[in-house]
Amino acid sequence: MALPQALENYRKQYRKIKLFQDIASVLHWDSEVMMPEEGREYRSSQIAAVAELTHDWMTDKSFLNQIETAKKSIGELPEQDRSVWNRELEVLMEEKEKADKLPSEFVSEFARVTNLAHAEWATAKKDKNFKSFANRLEELVQLSKKQADYFGYTTEPYDALLDSYEKGAKAAQIQILFSDLKKSLVPIVATAPKFKNPFPGPVSTDKQTKFCNRLPSLLGLTTKESRLDTSNHPFSTSLGKGDKRITTRYSETDPLSSIFGVLHETGHSLYESGLSAMPEWPTPLTEFLSLGIHESQSRLWENQVGRSLPFWEFVYPILLSDFDLTDKELPFKELYQYINSTEKTKVRVEADQVTYNLHIILRFEIERDLINGKIQVKDLPEIWNAKMKESFGLSIENDAEGVLQDIHWSMGAFGYFPTYTLGNIFSSQFFKKFTEEYPDSHNKFSAKGDFSDLLGWLRKNIHSKGKIFDVDTLMKQTTGESANSKYLISYLNGKIEEVTK
């Protein structure tokens, strides 16, 4: 049955907006991976122009008229199709109402400043000098506070920013969840074993690249639809249907850093690939549901799969060959123990799966106070270092391993960090349900490197759902209950017991 003309018209305009948003993603990806340094200033203007253009289209009154006309024409559809269309337009109106609150000149300025900030952050990190980035960060904080004011909030400004990543989430609720989780994690950290780095010497970037390039295809993301590059901070992005980009960074003394970076970012891209495979893509319902769900996909492939015994039983001989090592030089047991070692570290992206959430809690507490005006940008290094000492017992030697280590604040992404821990909670719950339904999956993992059952399960239960349901409904439909951190704690305790046998 042909769609009513009003629905066709609305989708045509929506898809034009989506097309230019993907063009902006190309500009961002290139600026972080390929662009020469001198192009930064002009690139920031390009990105700002596209951001302002798409914002104008989204907030234009004629688009609102198209949406309202589309709503009226839903009654012409068969009854079984109406609920999905109502949900699609409901999701779009939520997005549009949020966009309507932001003036075009603010959107343009925010896009311009964040693009400039990325390069300045990278230089400051390289120079280990927070003061050289402090003024730009202060500008980003003020813009983010202004953004929160535009969005509106009932309790605190940080809630308005958090809502952009995890709809409906409140900082006070997150605080309670994280406090309870921290209480459970502290005794685990105290008893978890630490194992030394078993690599006999440095592993060249070329050798690591050879191995890392195998991983996306192994998990189900083919080279025809993706590519792997290097950047200052690992990330993944979708540039449109059939075009997913992944980056990682390399440490010759600890090759696991690049490997788990690739596994993590591949998880993100597999989710985006699944979304763009949904019928009728792109529509408002074929977007990712929340950053917490997005992070659940990356953390699941990184941890539940990437740190599992079956995964390493399969890839171990491949790694030895690519790294030009023998099993005597790199014994399997020592490697596997190191992969699942627990050690308090200064850098989040190098943290093990047990202590990782403590890094997130620290960042959540700092950025919440920063946006709510309780602390100042100039005091961040001192506050950061004190919290690292309190939570980890570690002394920060320089800003690069401290307050400058993450890219997020240079992106103006205040409110993003909590979604990592939410993702860890979701991923443990998802994987537990998957193994109940596919109890023999570990044999396919180890014998054939076959992860198709898991990818198929994720496609069916999560990727193909897009934004059709809210997070709580998706969790209940997929696992039978709301999100529960007990599955994460159970997984971590089980992992420690496994490696200490």
Side-chain angles (χ1 to χ4, degrees):
M1 175 183 172
L3 287 176
Q5 190 61 46
L7 297 179
E8 293 278 13
N9 292 341
Y10 135 72
R11 275 194 172 173
K12 182 178 180 181
Q13 178 67 3
Y14 173 82
R15 285 168 174 165
K16 183 173 76 169
I17 295 171
K18 173 66 174 172
L19 188 68
F20 275 76
Q21 288 173 338
D22 287 341
I23 290 171
S25 295
V26 176
L27 295 173
H28 278 291
W29 175 86
D30 178 74
S31 69
E32 295 192 37
V33 177
M34 304 291 289
M35 187 185 72
E37 186 176 345
E38 291 297 318
R40 178 67 58 180
E41 187 74 34
Y42 189 64
R43 176 57 54 83
S44 68
S45 298
Q46 293 173 322
I47 289 173
V50 176
E52 185 174 2
L53 182 65
T54 55
H55 181 264
D56 287 347
W57 286 339
M58 176 64 81
T59 57
D60 190 89
K61 193 169 183 179
S62 65
F63 190 39
L64 176 61
N65 292 336
Q66 285 184 329
I67 295 170
E68 290 175 342
T69 304
K71 280 183 181 179
K72 294 175 184 176
S73 69
I74 289 176
E76 301 173 30
L77 296 172
E79 188 173 349
Q80 66 268 22
D81 296 334
R82 294 174 193 171
S83 61
V84 173
W85 272 97
N86 279 323
R87 173 63 177 165
E88 177 174 322
L89 293 174
E90 174 190 352
V91 167
L92 177 64
M93 280 304 298
E94 290 173 355
E95 182 182 346
K96 178 172 169 40
E97 286 168 3
K98 200 154 194 162
D100 286 341
K101 294 176 180 179
L102 299 178
S104 292
E105 58 271 18
F106 174 84
V107 172
S108 175
E109 179 67 1
F110 194 86
R112 186 189 69 82
V113 171
T114 52
N115 190 256
L116 290 173
H118 169 77
E120 293 169 5
W121 161 77
T123 299
K125 182 179 179 182
K126 182 180 179 182
D127 296 340
K128 303 175 183 178
N129 181 9
F130 175 77
K131 288 183 179 179
S132 67
F133 183 60
N135 287 341
R136 183 66 78 185
L137 182 57
E138 176 64 34
E139 184 178 11
L140 287 168
V141 169
Q142 294 307 317
L143 283 171
S144 297
K145 287 181 177 181
K146 186 181 288 189
Q147 185 181 56
D149 289 339
Y150 282 135
F151 286 151
Y153 51 88
T154 55
T155 306
E156 57 184 276
Y158 187 73
D159 281 346
L161 304 182
L162 181 62
D163 185 78
S164 296
Y165 301 103
E166 201 69 24
K167 184 172 174 55
K170 302 295 182 185
Q173 298 169 337
I174 296 287
Q175 182 65 57
I176 294 171
L177 175 66
F178 283 7
S179 294
D180 291 342
L181 183 61
K182 190 173 183 178
K183 289 176 185 177
S184 298
L185 288 172
V186 168
I188 298 177
V189 173
T191 59
K194 172 186 173 182
F195 299 100
K196 67 176 185 177
N197 185 333
F199 288 93
V203 179
S204 71
T205 296
D206 287 344
K207 290 178 180 178
Q208 292 183 53
T209 301
K210 182 179 181 181
F211 179 74
C212 285
N213 270 308
R214 299 180 187 275
L215 297 176
S217 292
L218 178 65
L219 303 188
L221 187 71
T222 69
T223 55
K224 289 185 178 181
E225 63 177 325
S226 67
R227 60 175 285 141
L228 173 64
D229 292 280
T230 306
S231 64
N232 285 318
H233 192 97
F235 74 96
S236 67
T237 188
S238 174
L239 305 187
K241 195 177 187 73
D243 191 354
K244 315 304 173 190
R245 307 296 175 96
I246 302 166
T247 72
T248 193
R249 63 184 180 193
Y250 296 91
S251 165
E252 294 195 346
T253 57
D254 189 3
L256 294 185
S257 177
S258 63
I259 292 170
F260 285 103
V262 172
L263 292 173
H264 180 96
E265 303 306 339
T266 297
H268 279 305
S269 285
L270 283 170
Y271 183 28
E272 289 289 343
S273 178
L275 290 169
S276 59
M278 290 178 68
E280 306 299 326
W281 182 94
T283 76
L285 296 186
T286 63
E287 299 294 317
F288 67 87
L289 178 55
S290 77
L291 257 296
I293 295 297
H294 223 311
E295 290 300 335
S296 78
Q297 302 306 284
S298 58
R299 298 297 284 175
L300 186 151
W301 288 102
E302 177 188 357
N303 292 329
Q304 277 77 15
V305 174
R307 298 183 192 274
S308 71
L309 185 61
F311 177 83
W312 282 97
E313 285 175 338
F314 180 78
V315 301
Y316 175 63
I318 303 172
L319 180 139
L320 290 180
S321 176
D322 287 348
F323 286 7
D324 196 22
L325 294 171
T326 66
D327 57 357
K328 290 182 180 180
E329 293 174 304
L330 184 63
F332 180 82
K333 183 177 180 180
E334 292 180 17
L335 173 63
Y336 186 64
Q337 287 178 326
Y338 181 59
I339 286 165
N340 289 286
S341 180
T342 298
E343 180 179 4
K344 294 176 181 179
T345 58
K346 300 175 184 180
V347 179
R348 174 186 64 87
V349 296
E350 296 172 2
D352 60 84
Q353 56 190 336
V354 177
T355 60
Y356 184 92
N357 295 294
L358 298 177
H359 284 270
I360 298 304
I361 293 170
L362 179 149
R363 286 154 176 78
F364 162 70
E365 292 171 350
I366 291 176
E367 68 176 19
R368 183 187 184 190
D369 284 347
L370 187 63
I371 296 299
N372 290 344
K374 294 182 178 180
I375 59 177
Q376 303 300 314
V377 166
K378 64 181 178 64
D379 300 322
L380 282 178
E382 181 181 353
I383 293 169
W384 184 287
N385 297 352
K387 282 184 172 288
M388 283 298 295
K389 190 71 174 178
E390 176 189 352
S391 297
F392 295 89
L394 298 174
S395 297
I396 299 299
E397 302 298 327
N398 59 69
D399 293 335
E401 66 180 26
V403 70
L404 285 175
Q405 65 179 267
D406 291 306
I407 194 174
H408 301 64
W409 291 344
S410 74
M411 299 162 54
F414 296 97
Y416 190 125
F417 278 121
T419 66
Y420 286 110
T421 288
L422 292 175
N424 284 332
I425 293 170
F426 297 157
S427 68
S428 299
Q429 198 163 334
F430 286 144
F431 195 73
K432 179 70 166 63
K433 187 64 176 178
F434 164 73
T435 55
E436 289 174 356
E437 295 182 14
Y438 290 84
D440 195 44
S441 59
H442 60 284
N443 290 327
K444 286 188 176 182
F445 290 0
S446 60
K448 303 176 183 178
D450 182 355
F451 302 95
S452 58
D453 285 345
L454 175 57
L455 182 57
W457 188 89
L458 294 172
R459 289 274 196 258
K460 175 185 175 183
N461 292 288
I462 300 163
H463 303 179
S464 66
K465 299 297 190 290
K467 280 190 170 183
I468 296 172
F469 308 108
D470 60 29
V471 172
D472 190 55
T473 301
L474 180 73
M475 294 299 298
K476 288 177 179 176
Q477 285 192 353
T478 305
T479 70
E481 60 181 302
S482 297
N484 193 327
S485 62
K486 73 178 183 181
Y487 295 102
L488 174 59
I489 298 301
S490 175
Y491 162 74
L492 294 174
N493 278 322
K495 181 60 66 175
I496 291 168
E497 181 179 349
E498 177 191 17
V499 298
T500 52
K501 286 181 180 178

